[in-house]
Amino acid sequence: MVSRVPRHTPYFLGGHKPNERGQVHAEEKGIKGSGPLNMLMNQFYGKMQEATKKMKEDLETAEYEGFSSDETVRVVLNGAQQPKLVDVTQAAVDQGAEKLQSLVVEASKDAYRMSKAGQEARMKRYFQDMGLPSPPNMKLPL
């Protein structure tokens, strides 16, 4: 004898509770989304949307600064890690073109490192806001 898969949505997935014989009435089959698991998932989805919206707003306004080792060059990146500003002092210019180039690269790397650390911190807060444990040693694939 072949066992058959029930054609109704199980109760824990939002279907209706079967009667004492384990049957679900035909008129109840078409109604979905009233079970406790479905309500829980809708609440979680709402929290996730709120947290995602907040994170996007934070990223739009975020700025990360990086400096050269002698602090004569400053690079500012936005939340999307795009360059927003490069500030070069006269002392950096006086050091020559090759040294200036290395100072700009150094400051850019520092700003990138700062932005990556900031984004990882935001992701941890994102998980906490949703009530989820943040993954240990979470690293962004950047």
Side-chain angles (χ1 to χ4, degrees):
M1 183 160 132
V2 177
S3 90
R4 295 188 168 212
V5 177
R7 293 185 177 169
H8 67 279
T9 304
Y11 176 66
F12 66 90
L13 290 177
H16 288 280
K17 208 173 202 177
N19 63 16
E20 55 277 346
R21 287 194 226 149
Q23 300 170 335
V24 176
H25 296 289
E27 64 272 5
E28 294 177 350
K29 285 184 182 178
I31 300 173
K32 296 183 182 185
S34 61
L37 183 60
N38 191 19
M39 288 188 292
L40 187 64
M41 290 301 289
N42 284 336
Q43 289 174 351
F44 176 73
Y45 183 70
K47 279 185 179 180
M48 187 174 72
Q49 281 184 320
E50 277 182 39
T52 301
K53 181 180 176 185
K54 184 177 183 232
M55 189 174 72
K56 284 181 180 179
E57 290 171 355
D58 286 349
L59 281 175
E60 289 174 1
T61 60
E63 289 187 355
Y64 302 98
E65 289 184 330
F67 294 91
S68 60
S69 57
D70 61 358
E71 296 189 1
T72 57
V73 176
R74 178 176 69 126
V75 173
V76 179
L77 301 179
N78 65 15
Q81 297 180 335
Q82 298 296 318
K84 187 173 181 178
L85 174 76
V86 176
D87 189 20
V88 179
T89 64
Q90 186 61 43
V93 173
D94 292 343
Q95 294 181 33
E98 286 183 25
K99 181 66 176 174
L100 178 60
Q101 180 181 0
S102 68
L103 292 173
V104 170
V105 169
E106 194 176 293
S108 298
K109 286 180 179 179
D110 186 45
Y112 176 77
R113 187 176 39 77
M114 298 298 283
S115 70
K116 191 172 175 183
Q119 287 180 349
E120 287 174 4
R122 276 197 172 84
M123 286 301 293
K124 285 182 182 179
R125 273 187 305 199
Y126 177 74
F127 278 100
Q128 289 172 350
D129 289 348
M130 290 190 307
L132 298 172
S134 60
N137 302 325
M138 182 181 67
K139 298 290 180 194
L140 295 176
L142 301 175

